[in-house]
Amino acid sequence: MKEIFISYSSRESELAGKVCSLIESKGYDCFIASRDITPGHEYAAELVGAIDNCRLVVLLLSKNSNSSPHVLREIDRAVSHKKPIIVYQLEDVELNKSMEYFLMTHQWILNTPDKDERLLDGINKIIHPQAVSEAGPAVQTVDSNTPSGRKAKPLFFGVAAIAVIAAVLVVILTVRNNKGGKSSDSGSPSVSGQADSNTPAGTQAPSAENNTDYKVADTITFGKYNDADIDWIILKINDNNTAVVVSEKILTFKAFDTAEGGKWEPFESQDAAKKILANPNEAAKWRGNNDWSISNIRIWLNSSDSRVTFEDQAPTAGATYESNNAYSEESGFLHGFTEAQRDAIIPTVHPTMANPLNANAGGTIETTDLVFLLSEEELSWFDEAGVSKYAKVTEQAASANESSFYKGQIVDGYGSDTMLWWLRDPSPDSVGKGVLANFDKGGDSLTFKDYYVSCSDFGIRPAMVINLNSSEIIKK
């Protein structure tokens, strides 16, 4: 049988023949209906057999093929039989809903002057995949020539420390009507009152008398995630008897943000990827936006709703790198906390570097959060507390994780029981990249990597500021 099935509208038979000739000039065998349907044989059966036995499908996408029920049936068959599909775009088309559903996770060759070269390159990578090296560090470069988007080649970007000035004036809150939802300032909780500038990031100062039962590095239990108790480490205790706490372990695997265009675009060459992703708007469209203030993960962490409302592209599987660990339909992180527990969380203001798409580009942005991710600078709190920065993964998180990266490369490949986890800093390299805290490979220092924010292979380790006078806290 033929290696490549070409799906097209009969109105573009001549063009389909040219594409077929182009592909076959490189030594591949194509099935094209106008030429290869056997006379006297049943037309539909021939098509089904060709799709079932091919190695990949090339769809010639046009307005005609987009509206063709015959083409739709061919693509449906290819998807159901897990055939890779390369979408070779002939013209700009707004996909119908059915076609959009089938094609959201497949490889696209955009309608650009070099599309023939990119088509051949994409076919070559599927038919003759490159060998994957097992050597090198855990975070890998994205090889845009491969359909999977991942090539086992080391990526150690030197991420400069982002200097954040923490002289923040904060307003304090009595959050009685906010259970982790959004307010008028881009999803931040509403606040009122006065700040205590001596507390980290401008923490609220409760009026109650201090509780001296706790000390730095203690582990406490507070709240639930997916019906499991959450253990937290106390990193700092403030003069106002509030404490900065961080989850002892990684609680879940999630993308920081997802591709704003609704799907990850693998691109067909590294040169094409670099050119397109150099534009911040394109980087956000195809890779996600590293702006903490509007990120999917910030909205999810600060929500107590059973169904979170996301302001832009929701974190669906198709919008993540490698299409896994979606959380668009998951309850907000605070959904498992009681009202009394949510009332014990102190809203705090956090400065974070703004990216080029933010109105304050070049400076910092301030968000008021109940739950947040730590910054690279704030990791010094671990050292001050005498606590390891490395994070293990809860059994629940490991079990629910749909990615093979943690088990395959971290646990099996490096023999480590710790994992990389997201910080809230944006990468200086691209709007589509964020910063990660590394895992322990036996070294004595924490290193950082930046990677695409739409990658859902990495851990979430929430932090918050809580009132130590709360009766909801259980000391371990």
Side-chain angles (χ1 to χ4, degrees), residues 213-215 217-223 229-234 248-249 394 472-476:
D213 291 341
Y214 303 101
K215 63 182 184 296
D218 278 351
T219 302
I220 62 171
T221 299
F222 179 74
D229 290 334
I230 305 173
D231 291 335
W232 306 82
I233 298 172
I234 297 178
E248 182 183 40
K249 296 181 178 180
T394 65
E472 298 296 317
I473 300 171
I474 300 173
K475 185 176 179 179
K476 295 199 71 175

Side-chain angles (χ1 to χ4, degrees), residues 339-352:
E339 182 174 354
Q341 289 168 342
R342 291 195 292 266
D343 285 345
I345 304 171
I346 310 302
T348 53
V349 169
H350 303 95
T352 309

